[in-house]
């Protein structure tokens, strides 16, 4: 086992850092404060290939591994968590279209998504179906050569400002087997966008309710086969859990750096904070837990790349552990700043707000525990813990 990054991975990491330091970090506070969705900057990331990281090369993607992608997302999220998090969502949508849609649809839409010409939103969650995605009510009924879509989706990132919706809807029986996946142009007649939600964090990406009233799409806009949408969604969420955990890692890393800098500069009782042993122990614990979380996320990414039969459990473990630990690191970093950490003049409070939602997304951390325990206790996959 070699835990060192390869030359290619170091190059990806450096390219991500250079771009994010120049194009994202100087504007992140303003984007957060004024709730600006930085479309032009996102399109620039597409020019670098960062919106099609693990999509196939034949459709304009870079075809990178999930581990490579995790390293890039972690680096970029140090400079703007919210914007990077949207990039991970778009990457998942682009991958679904280029990996599961027909050749005709992938050729028509794939390169436009992977290059950032078009931006996408992922439409899974409903007002009455969050973690229980199998109970969704939105329907897509085949009428002649068109699917007619009715229902609503909630908490949709980018909604109202994106061009493509990757939608999960019910085409058949109750439960997961009746769900299918669709590509829906975002400007079709019958699509109604709700008000932009006011949120604690993730303010550089709009979040809205979307209502579908007799929205018609050609039948070839079905992604994959009828009834296979839930499987596509779960495959997407395995990667999505690594992605969101990677964003947590980057945000925690940024917070730890800020805490280190502040402790060396701030003086109390005639000496720097860094001279107090209790605070030294605190920073040591934060660094240790961050490193442990990073290794777990990279292990999960490796398992997913290797198509390990227990990859879903590893992804759930990584998401559960990293998002919890990294939020705690941000919280402790704010505490080390004292009252200044609570001021918007310092980025630490934004890191705390942006990282909090990661414990809820891609399945709450309670759902992650159910996935892990089912793998071990019901399926008997003892190798997961060996």
């Amino acid at each position: 086992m070699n835990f060192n990054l390869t030359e290619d991975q170091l190059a990806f990491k450096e390219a991500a850092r250079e771009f994010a330091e120049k194009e994202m970090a100087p504007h992140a506070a303003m984007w957060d404060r004024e709730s600006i969705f930085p479309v032009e900057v996102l399109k620039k990331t597409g020019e670098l290939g960062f919106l099609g990281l693990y999509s196939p090369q034949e459709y304009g993607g870079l075809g990178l591994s999930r581990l490579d992608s995790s390293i890039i997302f972690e680096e970029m999220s140090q400079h703007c968590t919210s914007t990077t998090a949207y990039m991970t969502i778009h990457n998942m949508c682009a991958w679904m279209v280029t990996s599961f849609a027909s050749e005709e649809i992938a050729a028509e839409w794939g390169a436009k998504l992977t290059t950032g010409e078009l931006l996408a939103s992922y439409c899974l969650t409903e007002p009455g179906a969050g973690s229980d995605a199998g109970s969704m009510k939105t329907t897509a009924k085949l009428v002649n050569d068109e699917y007619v879509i009715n229902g609503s989706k909630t908490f949709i990132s980018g909604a109202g400002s994106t061009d493509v919706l990757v939608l999960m809807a019910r085409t058949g029986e109750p439960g997961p087997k009746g769900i299918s996946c669709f590509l829906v142009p975002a400007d079709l007649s019958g699509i109604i966008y709700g008000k932009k939600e006011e949120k604690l964090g993730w303010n550089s990406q709009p979040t809205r309710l979307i209502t579908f009233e007799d929205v018609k799409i050609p039948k070839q806009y079905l992604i994959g086969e009828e009834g296979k949408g839930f499987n596509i969604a779960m495959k997407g969420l395995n990667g999505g859990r690594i992605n969101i955990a990677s964003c947590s890692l980057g945000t925690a890393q940024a917070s730890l750096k800020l805490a280190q800098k502040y402790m060396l500069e701030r003086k109390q009782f005639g000496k720097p904070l860094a001279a107090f042993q209790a605070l030294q122990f605190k920073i040591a614990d934060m660094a240790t837990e961050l490193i442990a979380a990073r290794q777990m996320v990279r292990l999960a990414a490796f398992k997913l790349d290797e198509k390990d039969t227990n990859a879903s459990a590893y992804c759930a473990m990584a998401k559960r552990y990293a998002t919890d630990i990294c939020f705690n690191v941000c919280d402790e970093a704010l505490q080390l700043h004292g009252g200044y950490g609570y001021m918007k003049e310092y980025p630490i409070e934004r890191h705390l707000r942006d990282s909090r939602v990661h414990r809820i997304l891609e399945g709450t951390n309670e759902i992650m525990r159910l996935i892990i325990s089912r793998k071990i206790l019901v399926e008997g996959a003892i190798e997961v813990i060996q």
Side-chain angles (χ1 to χ4, degrees), residues 89 92-94 96-97 100-101 113 120-127 133 136-141 147-154 156 159 162-171 178-186 188 190-193 208-218 221-233:
I89 296 167
M92 181 172 66
C93 291
M96 287 180 173
V97 172
F100 298 102
L113 290 169
S121 292
Y122 183 55
C123 302
L124 175 66
T125 303
E126 296 184 0
M136 70 175 58
K137 304 297 184 186
T138 297
T139 60
K141 296 182 178 180
Y147 281 100
V148 181
I149 303 169
N150 283 281
S152 59
K153 299 291 181 178
T154 193
I156 306 305
T162 52
D163 310 290
V164 174
L165 308 177
V166 174
L167 172 79
M168 298 295 167
R170 186 166 301 286
T171 54
I179 295 171
S180 300
C181 182
F182 299 91
L183 184 151
V184 181
L188 292 181
I191 298 178
I192 303 168
Y193 294 98
R208 288 185 171 90
L209 174 80
I210 307 179
T211 302
F212 300 85
E213 295 183 354
D214 292 329
V215 176
K216 297 177 181 179
I217 60 172
Y221 280 17
L222 173 70
I223 297 176
E225 301 175 14
E226 269 203 12
K228 299 298 184 182
F230 189 80
N231 292 338
I232 295 173

